[in-house]
């Protein structure tokens, strides 16, 4: 987590850095700071809290110069405070460093540095870096940085500036993401492309172990030993307006409303005339895919919920045994993986540390890895054998919404594709299912148009202290997703359960004051779901149902109902999740929270 930026050029350095940090604030917002060099002198300005506090202090400080680095923090070592905010400096305040990641051996390094007379100001792991650089600065900044990173263990990316060489930024990637943006007589560095998109679309993506030496005119990328690497300059396809909020109050709301268009785009790019599914970036031959006997899906959070739904489709359409794990468990359980196993990793950001570690675990067992990713230049995308890009555009709100439904669409297409290859689904069946999917954006739009009904529900229930979400079969993972959305942005305790399991304990939680949100579209488990709803009602639970239009039976059992239009039952999760996203959003707005930046969270979880 944490976001880092760097700039060298003729623009106002502090404003370029601040705009970059605004774009990266989703990666952490416990504190923010920047360092610049002006007239040969290093200036540092840092503040606890969100960027606004830093902005106020920058107005007073009036920093100048044409080189600078910036940081927005998600605290790991040391509480959120001004002292612990980055940039961190050496003993003489001549070298400044911003850092994203974790230094595992910082305690030993710090003890050694202190023994050698270095003076530390903060409790962070980061501060060892400027002191390590300081020890060899007489050999030049580049060499000093190389020698420092050689001593550090962990996962990190850094930007460094020094009064001794005010014409360059040294940047290094050892685990955490980093891109260099190319301009005319100016260059940029950032944790991800969204920070530099207003300035350039030309980027160099650094790989692990690469060090960049960035001046106004020139970018050199080397190995840790100093050998030059020829790097490809890539063009980013995202547009600058993709990272604007437009008329929406929060990015999350904008992203919820973007979903129908995204699904339409995914379908139009991946389903060609005659209902042929083309997943060309997959890079796996039909011959290979037809031999796959087992699939392991591993992912975190919302992406894991998408994986849980994907399992239903893969087993139903392709008859392939599918396991779904949260990555942080998968990587440590010594999983069995053989040649006929395919790993599916799902990640919006493509940088989640646990998911990446799961991929490396799979690759160490020589199985192929296919990743469903949004950020196609991410580490996960680059380390996988192939990818299915979900084409959702930049997702800025910390709570994932549009990536989820785009992941589901990709999983659905992949399951149909495998089913066709395995002859477990006929061409006619696949065609019917695709026709059902093509209808989905229209249905989604119809649901989103009824946002007002959800606003009314949020007004009625926003003061409740506990919520329960229930679903069965393919809609059970959406019970988990609905509960996650609500708790992460409104801080209300909420829990999701498979409705049939509820009576085995959690039903004890039911009381008159607890809203129970029941996902009950007309599907093959509808009758079973009705029985579970009756059980809750018998215990005076307040039922809010998400049900299929025209369902009078459920209306009689529920306190409130939100109706969704009829759709093919297998793909109903792409629709039933919409009212859950909107409910969480409007409850959080009603409670006055910063929906896009919920407390304690960061969008891209690059630490274990
Ligand atoms: C929840 C949320 C997180 C992410 C999780 C995985 O709204 O956004 O649970 O889904 O951190 O992130 P990615 O998909 O980037 O690997």
């Amino acid at each position: 987590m944490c976001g880092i930026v760097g700039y060298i050029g003729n623009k106002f350095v502090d404003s370029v850095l601040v705009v970059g940090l605004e774009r990266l604030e989703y990666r952490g917002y416990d504190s923010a700071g920047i360092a610049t060099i002006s007239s040969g002198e290093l200036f540092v300005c840092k503040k606890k809290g969100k960027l606004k506090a830093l902005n106020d202090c920058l107005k007073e400080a009036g920093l100048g110069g044409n080189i600078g680095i910036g940081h927005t923090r998600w605290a790991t070592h040391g509480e959120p405070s001004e002292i612990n905010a980055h940039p961190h400096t050496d003993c003489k305040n001549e070298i400044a460093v911003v850092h994203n990641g974790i230094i595992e051996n910082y305690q030993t390094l710090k003890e050694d540095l202190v023994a050698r007379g270095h003076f530390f100001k903060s409790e962070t792991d980061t501060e060892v870096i400027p002191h390590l650089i300081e020890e060899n600065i007489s050999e030049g900044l580049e060499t000093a940085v190389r020698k420092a990173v050689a001593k550090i263990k962990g996962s990190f990316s850094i930007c460094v500036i020094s009064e001794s060489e005010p014409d360059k930024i040294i940047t290094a990637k050892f685990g955490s993401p980093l891109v260099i943006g190319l301009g005319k007589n100016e260059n940029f560095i950032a944790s991800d492309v969204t920070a530099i998109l207003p300035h350039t679309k030309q980027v160099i993506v650094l790989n692990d172990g690469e060090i960049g030496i960035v001046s106004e005119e020139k970018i050199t990328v080397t190995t840790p030993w100093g050998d030059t690497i020829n790097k490809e300059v890539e063009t980013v396809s995202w547009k600058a307006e993709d990272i604007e909020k437009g008329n929406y109050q929060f990015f999350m709301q904008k992203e919820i409303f973007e979903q129908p268009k995204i699904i339409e785009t995914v379908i139009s790019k991946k389903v060609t005339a005659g209902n042929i599914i083309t997943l060309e970036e997959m890079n796996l031959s039909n011959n290979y895919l037809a031999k796959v006997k087992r699939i392991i899906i591993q992912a975190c959070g919302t992406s894991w919920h998408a994986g849980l739904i994907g399992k239903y489709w893969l087993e139903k359409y392709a008859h392939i045994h599918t396991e779904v794990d949260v990555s942080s468990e998968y990587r440590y359980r010594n999983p069995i993986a053989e040649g006929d196993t395919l790993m599916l990793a799902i990640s919006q950001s493509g940088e989640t540390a646990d998911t990446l570690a799961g991929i490396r675990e799979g690759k160490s067992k020589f199985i192929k890895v296919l990743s469903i990713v949004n950020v196609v230049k991410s580490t996960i995308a680059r380390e996988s054998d192939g990818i299915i890009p979900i084409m959702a555009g930049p997702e800025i709100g910390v709570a994932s919404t549009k990536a989820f439904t785009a992941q589901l669409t990709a999983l659905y297409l992949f399951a149909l594709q495998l089913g066709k290859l395995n002859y477990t689904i006929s061409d006619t069946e696949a065609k019917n299912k695709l026709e059902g999917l093509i209808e989905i954006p229209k249905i989604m739009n119809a649901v989103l148009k009824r946002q007002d009904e959800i606003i009314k529900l949020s007004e009625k229930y926003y003061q409740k202290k506990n919520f329960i979400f229930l679903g069965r079969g393919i809609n059970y993972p959406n019970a988990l997703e609905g509960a996650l959305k609500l708790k992460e942005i409104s801080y209300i305790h909420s829990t999701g359960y498979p409705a049939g399991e509820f009576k085995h304990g959690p039903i004890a939680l039911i009381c008159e004051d607890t809203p129970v949100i029941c996902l009950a579209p007309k599907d093959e488990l509808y009758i079973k779901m009705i029985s579970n709803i009756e059980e809750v009602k018998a215990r005076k639970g307040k039922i809010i149902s998400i049900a299929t239009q025209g369902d009078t039976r459920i209306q009689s059992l529920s306190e409130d109902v939100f109706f969704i239009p009829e759709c093919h039952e297998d793909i109903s999760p792409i629709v039933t999740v919409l009212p859950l996203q909107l409910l969480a959003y409007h409850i959080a707005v009603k409670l006055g929270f910063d929906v896009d930046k919920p407390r304690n969270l960061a969008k891209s979880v690059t630490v274990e």
Side-chain angles (χ1 to χ4, degrees):
M1 284 100 106
C2 299
I4 63 177
V5 283
Y7 174 69
I8 184 157
N10 290 322
K11 296 197 174 110
F12 290 111
V13 65
D14 51 350
S15 58
V16 175
L17 294 176
V18 168
V19 169
L21 291 178
E22 271 167 14
R23 307 274 178 236
L24 294 180
E25 230 189 343
Y26 71 85
R27 301 176 71 89
Y29 28 83
D30 292 334
S31 63
I34 68 174
T36 63
I37 299 173
S38 179
S39 309
E41 215 182 318
L42 183 79
F43 292 93
V44 176
C45 189
K46 48 193 197 175
K47 281 280 164 204
K48 181 181 168 186
K50 295 192 176 140
L51 257 180
K52 192 181 165 326
L54 176 70
N55 254 326
D56 295 344
C57 134
L58 282 173
K59 274 186 206 134
E60 278 174 38
L63 303 186
N66 70 340
I67 180 168
I69 55 177
H71 188 267
T72 178
R73 180 168 188 242
W74 188 84
T76 56
H77 296 68
E79 58 166 12
S81 69
E82 195 165 313
I83 292 279
N84 289 333
H86 300 215
H88 289 285
T89 54
D90 63 321
C91 296
K92 295 188 205 137
N93 288 326
E94 291 175 358
I95 300 162
V97 175
V98 288
H99 160 224
N100 168 26
I102 283 187
I103 299 172
E104 286 162 3
N105 59 337
Y106 86 100
Q107 198 59 48
T108 329
L109 291 171
K110 187 171 175 175
E111 282 162 18
D112 292 349
L113 284 159
V114 169
R116 293 199 292 273
H118 289 265
F119 169 71
F120 278 74
K121 292 157 270 198
S122 76
E123 302 156 300
T124 63
D125 53 343
T126 306
E127 202 185 336
V128 298
I129 309 173
H131 292 286
L132 286 171
I133 296 170
E134 183 181 16
E135 296 213 310
N136 296 301
I137 194 71
S138 59
E139 295 175 47
L141 182 60
E142 195 185 319
T143 306
V145 172
R146 276 185 213 294
K147 288 194 169 172
V149 295
K151 291 193 173 146
I152 298 171
K153 290 201 177 75
S155 163
F156 59 93
S157 62
I158 55 170
C159 285
V160 186
I161 54 172
S162 167
E163 279 183 8
S164 60
E165 292 175 53
D167 59 344
K168 61 175 72 104
I169 303 173
I170 311 285
T171 189
K173 173 179 168 13
F174 287 79
S176 305
L178 206 58
V179 291
I180 302 175
L182 284 70
K184 195 160 183 289
N185 300 329
E186 60 178 358
N187 288 306
F188 308 82
I189 302 163
S191 295
D192 86 40
V193 290
T194 54
I196 52 182
L197 213 45
H199 307 285
T200 180
K201 288 181 157 201
Q202 303 296 107
V203 298
I204 292 173
V205 184
L206 290 196
N207 289 324
D208 280 344
E210 293 181 345
I211 294 179
I213 301 102
V214 181
S215 67
E216 255 178 44
E217 309 284 341
K218 198 171 164 207
I219 295 164
T220 311
V221 179
T222 74
T223 62
W225 307 276
D227 301 326
T228 304
I229 304 170
N230 281 331
K231 294 288 292 184
E232 187 193 347
V233 176
E234 301 174 48
T235 305
V236 180
S237 60
W238 289 351
K239 299 187 283 300
E241 55 269 30
D242 291 343
I243 51 174
E244 300 301 335
K245 241 187 310 206
N247 292 328
Y248 292 96
Q249 193 183 352
F250 288 100
F251 277 107
M252 181 178 174
Q253 191 184 28
K254 177 186 179 219
E255 288 159 6
I256 290 173
F257 278 83
E258 279 174 348
Q259 293 177 99
K261 187 87 210 128
I262 292 165
I263 308 304
E264 210 174 275
T265 311
V266 175
I267 296 169
S268 72
K269 291 263 159 62
K270 299 196 192 302
V271 183
T272 47
N275 288 317
I276 308 291
I277 303 169
T278 332
L279 303 171
E280 47 196 25
E281 294 93 340
M282 205 157 62
N283 201 26
L284 298 172
S285 68
N286 285 351
N287 203 11
Y288 163 78
L289 287 171
K291 290 191 188 122
V292 170
K293 294 280 171 294
R294 185 168 155 245
I295 292 177
I296 296 171
I297 298 181
Q298 54 105 8
C300 304
T302 290
S303 298
W304 173 61
H305 297 159
L308 290 172
I309 294 172
K311 172 184 162 81
Y312 287 85
W313 293 328
L314 287 161
E315 293 194 333
K316 183 165 178 181
Y317 301 156
H319 294 196
I320 297 180
H321 173 69
T322 305
E323 288 166 37
V324 192
D325 260 304
V326 284
S327 306
S328 52
E329 291 299 320
Y330 173 78
R331 62 183 289 193
Y332 289 118
R333 73 168 164 82
N334 201 11
I336 297 161
E338 283 147 3
D340 54 6
T341 303
L342 170 69
M343 174 182 284
L344 261 187
I346 309 174
S347 175
Q348 184 284 128
S349 63
E351 300 295 346
T352 301
D354 285 319
T355 313
L356 185 58
I359 289 176
R360 289 175 181 161
E361 175 67 32
K363 294 203 96 176
S364 75
K365 296 197 153 78
F366 305 105
I367 60 170
K368 295 241 186 248
V369 178
L370 176 65
S371 290
I372 296 181
V373 286
N374 192 28
V375 184
V376 291
K377 302 206 184 306
S378 58
T379 313
I380 286 181
R382 279 176 294 125
E383 290 205 12
S384 303
D385 294 294
I387 61 170
I388 304 181
I390 60 167
M391 299 188 290
E395 191 178 62
I396 313 274
V398 163
S400 186
T401 51
K402 62 178 182 174
F404 179 68
T405 46
Q407 286 164 347
L408 290 183
T409 310
L411 279 161
Y412 193 72
L413 291 173
F414 180 60
L416 289 178
Q417 171 86 321
L418 275 187
K420 280 170 71 168
L421 272 175
N422 288 349
Y423 301 105
T424 43
I425 182 168
S426 70
D427 283 351
T428 321
E429 276 174 296
K431 181 169 171 283
N432 288 341
K433 296 200 183 308
L434 281 175
E435 280 166 2
L437 182 67
I438 290 163
E439 288 300 301
I440 285 290
K442 216 167 57 202
I443 295 173
M444 293 172 100
N445 271 323
V447 169
L448 293 172
K449 271 202 190 113
R450 291 176 20 237
Q451 178 176 220
D452 284 351
E453 290 175 42
I454 299 284
I455 294 177
K456 283 204 186 100
L457 285 179
S458 70
E459 283 160 355
K460 184 166 169 187
Y461 292 105
Y462 78 100
Q463 282 169 321
K464 298 292 176 197
K465 297 284 174 265
N466 292 293
F467 279 75
I468 291 165
F469 290 74
L470 298 179
R472 285 195 80 127
I474 202 156
N475 271 291
Y476 145 59
N478 269 358
L480 302 182
E481 177 60 7
L484 175 61
K485 285 292 91 86
L486 184 65
K487 76 179 93 164
E488 69 181 328
I489 60 171
S490 71
Y491 320 139
I492 296 173
H493 176 257
S494 47
T495 181
Y497 258 93
E501 176 67 13
F502 199 52
K503 57 188 169 296
H504 298 286
I507 201 164
L509 292 169
I510 295 297
C511 65
E512 268 182 83
D513 212 33
T514 307
V516 184
I517 303 194
C518 298
L519 295 159
K522 281 268 172 67
D523 60 18
E524 58 187 356
L525 292 176
Y526 171 75
I527 293 298
K528 306 278 173 205
M529 188 68 200
I530 290 289
S531 308
N532 299 139
I533 292 176
E534 297 269 17
E535 289 155 14
V536 174
K537 192 172 167 63
R539 287 155 184 85
K540 300 200 173 5
K542 276 214 166 48
I543 290 151
I544 306 162
S545 298
I546 312 293
T548 306
Q549 192 71 49
D551 183 347
T552 46
R553 182 164 179 194
I554 208 142
Q555 195 147 28
S556 65
L557 289 173
S558 311
E559 176 89 10
D560 291 287
V561 189
F562 184 89
F563 286 114
I564 57 161
E566 220 169 298
C567 63
H568 189 287
E569 62 173 85
D570 285 354
I571 39 177
S572 68
I574 304 181
V575 180
T576 57
V577 77
L578 300 181
L580 306 184
Q581 295 171 343
L582 282 172
L583 184 67
Y585 172 79
H586 285 291
I587 287 181
V589 170
K590 196 97 199 70
L591 291 169
F593 294 128
D594 185 345
V595 172
D596 287 335
K597 300 184 192 97
R599 71 183 183 206
N600 304 338
L601 297 180
K603 183 135 189 91
S604 187
V605 187
T606 53
V607 293
E608 218 191 299

